[in-house]
Structure formats: structure tokens, C-alpha cells
Amino acid sequence: MNRPRTAITFSRGIRRIPHLSSILNVARVHWRPPQLGWTLSATAACVVGWGGKANTAAARAHAQRRRLPYLTLEDGFLRSLDLGVRGSRPYSLVVDDLGIYYDATRPSRLEQLLNGAADTPLPIDPDTSRCAAALEDPQLLARARDCIAAITRARLSKYNAAPEWQLPATAGKRVLVVDQTAGDLSIAGGLADGSSFRRMLAAARSENPGAEILIKVHPEVVAGKKRGHFLPADLTERTRLLARDLNPIHLLEQVDRVYVVSSQMGMEALLLGKPVTCFGAPFYAGWGLTDDRVALPQRQRQRSLEALFAAAYLLYARYLDPDTGAPCAAERVIEHLALQRHWFAHNRGHFFGCGIAWWKRAYVRRYLASPWNRVQFVERAGAIPAGLDPAQTRVLVWGTRDTARLRRRAAACGYPVWRMEDGFLRSAGLGTDLTAPASQVIDRRGIYFDPAAPSDLEALLQEAEFSPTDLTRATALRQALISARLSKYNVGDRRPRLELSAAGGRTVILVPGQVEQDASIRLGSPEIRSNAQLLAAVRQEHPDAYILYKPHPDVLSGNRRRDTRPPDPAHFDRLVADLGIVPCLEAAQAVHTMTSLVGFEALLRGLPVHTYGQPFYAGWGLTQDRLPLPRRTRRLSLDQLVAGVLLLYPRYLNPATGEFTSPEMIVELLGRALATRAQRLAPWAGLQRPWRTGRAFVGGVSGELFAAWQTPVRSRHPWGRQDPA
């Protein structure tokens, strides 16, 4: 079925929604201000407006004149990372041609679903699965249970940038009263008004004698964008205000009972099994799950929590993939939001980046992204101030570039030193060409290429319990990497296969060259420390083998110094300079290396790997090791190694969105980038590197200067902070 051609929107706020045509299932969207005429209405599928605001009147009138369907849009229940007023892009919307879910004065699609009424598809939507009969589907209800568990486990809400905050211990009962912004349409639409909040607070006090009453202020009130309903006079010794932005789920976990007018927090309290009293008519009231103080005779069914969730979150709401903008299932948005909060929590605190190159700082900030931290860069150890909370302060260095002075300063202040390095699936280009990385690792114990001390990666591989999901993902990721022919840098010509007729049936051994000044050799290969020594050792042990020598791409590009002593040509049969590493791996039958990541990439492809140093992937029973590491006592399967190295240890960043993403998405994005690069004209190849390097340097430095110039705006509640002490 072809998509209808056009949707017309008159509502200015909808302009901020990317990929709206995907949500509406139309080919394109025309933006028209209400004062302008329209002459192409015959081609339109529908007219769209935002919510129930007065500025949609012209759009509704236009739809009525032209006899076009009118659709109301609103934010979904898992909207975004941060508030919409702060510019955070939405991942979820609802589309309703009858009304809107928060307006109980008239029917809505959601109410129709829950009532079990006969349903018809939306004018733009041929999908008949969004109907009341689907609420009886055991598979849908199982999805609902899984989603509820995932949401509560990751503590996800409509907005997801608020930190978790532990309430002080109390011996008695704790009751939460949820405020909302004054004038919110869901209040009047929920058959309530400002006086409903007064009655709600009075009921919470009278029905819970001796309990501590907490009034939760809306995030937009905390941000200073809007006002709420309660006054300082409402506060007493047992009634306190939470005037800070808090994670709703974590807060709800710490209370015994919840009172709302029409806030979504009531629904989230139900997900946690909390008793909820409603002084309005929110979408989740009237179905037998809440204590309702407003009569709702039009809601005629008793619904389970799973059916209510399935109707609202899975059938009524629509979702956009946070990475691609394509329509997706709710589970994809849940997964993405959980990932953001995972790394936000890891990045919490105050970071001092010391000695990190200026061009790197812009992307270092992105990998340290968190609404709950502060990042500063300093050039000298002495610039790190003393007296900060050691539990919340970290010193960040690149790799092993910390000096003795820096270590002394950090130890004197009580601050831990964390180390940052490129991940194992890095980019479509060299780091020495100033190409920003698609993945990074931040290690609190050491760093993965230094075997002198344990690292987070080594601890993870030694101790982690890998779930069946981890191992299934690892298998699929390994196969995707092989199929996409990806490596760490993805440079050189990847297209041709390596022609090896000269091998004459001999065993083909690949020896990947390394930068001899690299820290991984200095720290991890104490016996064989040069490419020449490695090639000599391999030739001595395998005199009849056909040895491929592939110098490191940084050396071939001239970005790093050449070998201190050139390898003896007698120790290899072919030097591969023009091809990327993937064709070499595809041709090889074994790999011999000091500490190169190519050894890990060979393991992914099922090749025997011989290590002459102590790389991170050695010592787990998968490689032939000259220098075993006694600390590594666990025997791992290949998928366990892949799960630790590629799934759990690094963090990945989508360059288009600036948000954390999955390695699977990075594989897809790198594949696209390489396909685009392959289409470039060869005559321009000589100009590409200086252009890329110059652009990256200017962009990185200018971005860091802008970040340093910005002064954070710290919103204050007009009453000052009234949190319980």
C-alpha cells in the first residue's frame, strides 16, 4: 500500500520534530502558518496540530473546511533524554484522530482501546494491530511485562536526565504528593483545576496521619520555566518540598503511597506496584488500578496493569529510532534510554582532564557526557585544585601519559587517576589523521594494553558472568564484523582479495607490524620489541611458511616514525603496503604478533594466533602464548571474549546524534561511511588527508574554546531548595 502523499501542519511546535513524515506514514509534511491560504488540499492526507492548545484552532477549521482528517500529536510516555524546553529531541509521539489521551472530556484512541470498542485504523495508518482486540494477545501482554521490567530496572521516565537522589532514612510512612505546572492542559482535561491540588494535599495529610508528606515539584518548575500549585505556606514540619530535579522512578521506589491529579508519575507508580490515588482523570484512572476521587463512568472495563501498559506504551504511542530516525518498537527506545543513563551514571562527578590534546577535548567531553558531572581540562598537575570530594573527583589522562608529578598531585588530593584510550572498533580513518573515534574506553584500574597491573577489562574477563543475551549478541556482532569486513581503522584498499599464487601451497602466516614506540610494545612485550625481531623469530620457527608482513598504517602514512631497524627481507615473503588489514586476514592461515589488535581480529575470524607479548586477548585459552600471564586463570570461549571486549568494556558514540549507541549501530555506520568513501574520485585522494586533518583540528579546538567560554546556567527554584535534610 502506497503512503499518502502529504500531511499539512499549522502548529509551529511541530517543526522541531525530526522524521515526522515517518511517524505520520506520509511521504512529506508541508508546514503552513495559519494566516496563509492553501491551494493544494486535494493532495493532502490529513491536517496535523499539536495537543489541545488554542493555536490549533486554525488547523482544525482548515481540516473541517476541506473535509480532511485532523490528527492531534503529543509527546509520548518515553519522550526524550531531557526536557523539550531544553531542546531535547523526542523519541516518542502519540497520534490521535478522536481526541488526546489526557483529555477525559471526550473520547480518545487510547480510551477506545482500553474500553474494548470496535476500532478502525487511523486515516494514515493501515496497521490494524493497533486495535482493542490486541489487548487480549498473550504475546503482547508478555511484551508489556518485559518492557515494564526494563523500564523500572533502568529507572526510565518521560524525561531521563534527572539524577537519582537518596532520601534520608525514616522510620515512618512516606507519602508522595505530585505537583504539576499551572495551566497544564492535562489538569483541565483531567476534570480537575487548581483547587484539586489543595484537596489532594489535605487528603494526603488526613488519610496518612503521622506520615512524612513530600511534594514533588515538576521539572519545568525546578528549571524556572513554569510555576506550580503549592506555596511556602503549605509546608510544615511533616510536609516538605522536593525542589530539585529527581529521577521519578527512584523517588517512587522510596515512598509508600502516591497522590496525583493527572501526572504521568501516577502511571509510573503503578509500574512499581505502589498504591495511587487520583484527584483527576488521567489516562490510567478508571480501569480498576487506582483509587479514583473523580467519577469516570465512560471507562467501563477492568484492565490489568499489563493491558493498560500495552495499550498506552505499545499500541497508542509511536517511536522513532534514536540512532536512525526510522519508526521502531518501544523496546528500541527503552534500550537506548537505558544505555544513556548507564553511561551518565558512570560519568557522574568532577573530571579533570590533564595533558589531553586540544583537538581531542571536544570528543572527550562527548564521551564523558552526563547531566550530573563537570569536565575541566588543565595543562599542568598543579592546576588540579585540592579540597574536592575524592569520591566524586577523578583525574583523567590519555593512555599512560601520566607523569610522576601528576600521580603525586592526585595522591595528595585523594583523587583516583582514570585512563582513556581509543576503542577497538575506532573509525574509518587513522587517529593520527585526527579522525574522531567511534568508541573509547575509560579504565579506572589501569589500561588494557599494560599487563603490569590489572585493568577493568582484565577484571571483567576474569570475573564477569556473561548472560545468554550477551553471548547471543557477541556471536551476531562477530559475524557482522566479518561480513562488513571491518577492522579498527578501516584504511587501505579493502575491496580486492589478496592474490597468493606465489605461496605455492605453503602455510600463509600474517605478521602485522606495529609502531615500535607504541606503549603496548614498551609495556606488554618485554622480550621481542621490534618488527624486525618478530619477523626473525617467526621465520626461524616456520622456515617454510609464506610470511606476509603488513606494516602499521600509521607508519605507512608517515604519521609515525619508521622502524628503528628495517626488517630483513629474507624474513618475509611479501610486504603488503597497499591493501587494508582485512584482505590480509582473509588470506592468512595464522597470525603471529607481539601485542597488535590484529591478533584479536584474527580470533574473530577463527584463525590461530601466536602472541609474543601479553596483549589483552592473550592468556584466556584462545591463543598460543610465549609469555603467559599467571593472573589470567579463566578459560574463555570466543564469544565470552568478544562480549567483554566489544560489548561491555568500551563506550560507543553515534557521530550524527552525539549520543551513546551500541557496537551493532557503529558497525552499520562504519559500513555506510566506508561505502561513501569508496565512491570518492581517486584524483582527489592526495588532498583528502590534509583536508580531513585540518578540519578535525580546527573543529576540535574551536569546539573546546566554545565549551570553555560557556558558563553553565544553574536554575534555582524561587523558594530556594526545600529538600528534606
Side-chain angles (χ1 to χ4, degrees):
M1 180 175 178
N2 293 328
R3 293 198 296 175
R5 292 179 58 188
T6 306
I8 309 168
T9 175
F10 287 78
S11 187
R12 182 173 54 189
I14 302 178
R15 285 183 179 274
R16 296 194 299 269
I17 301 174
H19 308 289
L20 181 59
S21 60
S22 295
I23 281 284
L24 295 177
N25 193 36
V26 296
R28 57 180 177 168
V29 175
H30 283 298
W31 312 104
R32 302 298 295 180
Q35 66 270 24
L36 296 182
W38 184 256
T39 59
L40 299 177
S41 299
T43 67
C46 58
V47 178
V48 181
W50 187 264
K53 294 184 178 180
N55 65 2
T56 64
R60 294 175 189 274
H62 180 90
Q64 189 173 14
R65 285 195 306 270
R66 301 290 182 175
R67 297 183 180 179
L68 292 169
Y70 179 82
L71 303 181
T72 299
L73 297 190
E74 256 296 350
D75 290 326
F77 310 113
L78 293 167
R79 183 196 186 276
S80 52
L81 278 177
D82 206 346
L83 299 177
V85 294
R86 292 179 183 147
S88 193
R89 62 196 179 97
Y91 307 140
S92 174
L93 292 168
V94 299
V95 183
D96 202 315
D97 62 335
L98 302 179
I100 194 66
Y101 70 89
Y102 58 73
D103 186 357
T105 65
R106 54 184 174 145
S108 70
R109 279 271 170 172
L110 179 55
E111 188 175 84
Q112 186 182 62
L113 276 169
L114 289 164
N115 266 332
D119 198 11
T120 56
L122 284 168
I124 57 163
D125 190 0
D127 182 5
T128 57
S129 68
R130 300 176 188 271
C131 65
L135 290 181
E136 311 299 331
D137 183 355
Q139 289 186 331
L140 180 68
L141 297 179
R143 277 186 65 200
R145 282 191 291 273
D146 290 343
C147 287
I148 290 170
I151 286 172
T152 54
R153 183 170 56 248
R155 294 173 173 161
L156 303 183
S157 183
K158 184 174 185 177
Y159 310 110
N160 294 280
E164 296 169 8
W165 188 62
Q166 189 69 38
L167 295 173
T170 182
K173 189 176 181 181
R174 183 171 269 155
V175 174
L176 183 68
V177 173
V178 183
D179 193 13
Q180 292 174 249
T181 58
D184 190 303
L185 292 176
S186 73
I187 298 172
L191 310 179
D193 55 26
S195 67
S196 303
F197 291 85
R198 327 297 311 165
R199 294 195 303 273
M200 175 173 64
L201 180 58
R205 286 169 170 163
S206 65
E207 294 169 7
N208 302 277
E212 180 183 24
I213 309 296
L214 300 178
I215 299 176
K216 170 66 175 71
V217 175
H218 191 277
E220 291 184 350
V221 176
V222 176
K225 303 292 184 180
K226 297 181 180 179
R227 59 186 179 85
H229 292 90
F230 295 108
L231 301 172
D234 295 313
L235 307 183
T236 67
E237 182 181 353
R238 300 295 296 173
T239 303
R240 305 184 183 184
L241 189 79
L242 293 175
R244 63 164 70 202
D245 200 6
L246 301 173
N247 177 264
I249 302 294
H250 186 240
L251 174 61
L252 289 165
E253 289 172 344
Q254 302 175 75
V255 302
D256 301 292
R257 186 174 178 182
V258 179
Y259 286 76
V260 299
V261 173
S262 58
S263 169
Q264 185 179 315
M265 281 189 70
M267 177 66 186
E268 292 163 348
L270 290 177
L271 300 184
L272 292 168
K274 304 290 181 179
V276 177
T277 299
C278 299
F279 276 75
F283 70 89
Y284 49 85
W287 309 108
L289 298 169
T290 51
D291 170 20
D292 301 323
R293 305 300 169 89
V294 173
L296 290 166
Q298 73 273 30
R299 298 182 181 175
Q300 303 160 357
R301 295 285 296 266
Q302 298 287 297
R303 288 294 188 183
S304 68
L305 177 62
E306 290 83 359
L308 174 63
F309 179 92
Y313 284 71
L314 302 183
L315 300 183
Y316 186 57
R318 296 161 185 252
Y319 298 90
L320 289 170
D321 190 298
D323 280 304
T324 66
C328 68
E331 288 87 343
R332 176 70 190 90
V333 170
I334 292 170
E335 174 190 69
H336 180 82
L337 290 173
L339 182 65
Q340 309 313 300
R341 287 190 60 82
H342 169 81
W343 290 119
F344 286 173
H346 275 67
N347 291 341
R348 191 170 190 162
H350 196 152
F351 286 86
F352 289 95
C354 190
I356 294 176
W358 273 75
W359 80 271
K360 294 180 178 180
R361 293 181 183 182
Y363 72 72
V364 168
R365 283 187 186 276
R366 293 196 291 273
Y367 280 100
L368 293 175
S370 174
W372 323 318
N373 76 359
R374 187 179 179 190
V375 180
Q376 291 178 266
F377 293 100
V378 296
E379 298 295 338
R380 299 175 296 102
I384 299 173
L388 300 176
D389 181 0
Q392 294 294 321
T393 309
R394 304 90 168 84
V395 176
L396 185 72
V397 298
W398 192 268
T400 55
R401 296 179 187 177
D402 50 324
T403 62
R405 177 178 296 180
L406 176 66
R407 290 192 293 272
R408 287 195 301 270
R409 178 62 177 172
C413 297
Y415 307 153
V417 177
W418 291 8
R419 291 172 171 80
M420 188 173 199
E421 255 295 347
D422 290 335
F424 310 113
L425 189 60
R426 187 192 186 281
S427 52
L430 297 174
T432 51
D433 281 348
L434 310 192
T435 306
S439 66
Q440 290 278 277
V441 301
I442 295 179
D443 204 302
R444 298 169 295 175
R445 291 180 174 87
I447 194 67
Y448 67 87
F449 56 75
D450 184 1
S455 66
D456 285 349
L457 177 57
E458 185 177 293
L460 190 156
L461 294 173
Q462 183 74 21
E463 302 165 8
E465 292 293 332
F466 298 104
S467 70
T469 300
D470 292 333
L471 299 181
T472 300
R473 283 186 66 196
T475 301
L477 180 61
R478 178 164 52 85
Q479 292 170 349
L481 286 167
I482 296 170
S483 177
R485 306 181 76 214
L486 293 178
S487 62
K488 181 176 182 177
Y489 295 112
N490 302 289
V491 294
D493 195 342
R494 303 166 59 252
R495 290 169 294 177
R497 304 281 175 172
L498 195 60
E499 198 281 318
L500 286 177
S501 58
R506 291 182 286 167
T507 300
V508 179
I509 294 176
L510 171 63
V511 177
Q514 294 182 246
V515 178
E516 294 183 350
Q517 300 78 31
D518 193 80
S520 71
I521 294 179
R522 176 169 48 85
L523 300 171
S525 189
E527 295 182 358
I528 293 181
R529 309 178 67 88
S530 71
N531 295 316
Q533 288 178 307
L534 176 61
L535 284 164
V538 175
R539 176 58 80 193
Q540 182 177 3
E541 289 192 13
H542 303 275
D544 298 325
Y546 188 85
I547 298 175
L548 300 174
Y549 173 47
K550 175 78 175 76
H552 193 280
D554 276 337
V555 174
L556 289 173
S557 68
N559 295 346
R560 295 286 186 90
R561 282 188 295 171
R562 294 187 178 277
D563 297 347
T564 52
R565 179 167 65 88
D568 187 337
H571 294 156
F572 60 89
D573 296 277
R574 180 171 174 179
L575 186 145
V576 183
D578 54 338
L579 296 181
I581 193 64
V582 172
C584 298
L585 287 168
E586 292 169 342
Q589 295 168 284
V591 170
H592 290 241
T593 181
M594 291 177 279
T595 61
S596 172
L597 180 64
V598 174
F600 175 70
E601 294 171 343
L603 288 177
L604 299 182
R605 292 161 172 83
L607 294 177
V609 176
H610 299 254
T611 66
Y612 294 71
Q614 294 173 325
F616 67 86
Y617 52 85
W620 308 108
L622 297 169
T623 51
Q624 300 295 317
D625 304 319
R626 295 293 188 89
L627 301 173
L629 199 60
R631 287 195 312 269
R632 299 176 185 174
T633 58
R634 190 180 186 185
R635 302 299 90 179
L636 296 174
S637 69
L638 179 56
D639 285 332
Q640 287 176 321
L641 179 68
V642 172
V645 173
L646 295 181
L647 293 181
L648 304 181
Y649 184 52
R651 52 190 70 185
Y652 299 86
L653 206 69
N654 184 326
T657 66
E659 295 174 2
F660 296 108
T661 190
S662 65
E664 291 89 344
M665 179 55 60
I666 292 301
V667 169
E668 183 177 334
L669 294 175
L670 282 175
R672 292 181 195 170
L674 292 168
T676 301
R677 188 176 69 179
Q679 295 171 4
R680 292 173 181 162
L681 295 176
W684 297 99
L687 299 176
Q688 287 174 11
R689 180 176 178 267
W691 164 249
R692 289 195 307 268
T693 304
R695 183 179 60 181
F697 181 81
V698 171
V701 172
S702 61
E704 176 54 26
L705 288 173
F706 179 74
W709 170 78
Q710 282 185 309
T711 301
V713 177
R714 301 187 182 274
S715 302
R716 296 177 56 192
H717 191 274
W719 301 345
R721 182 160 291 170
Q722 300 288 330
D723 304 326

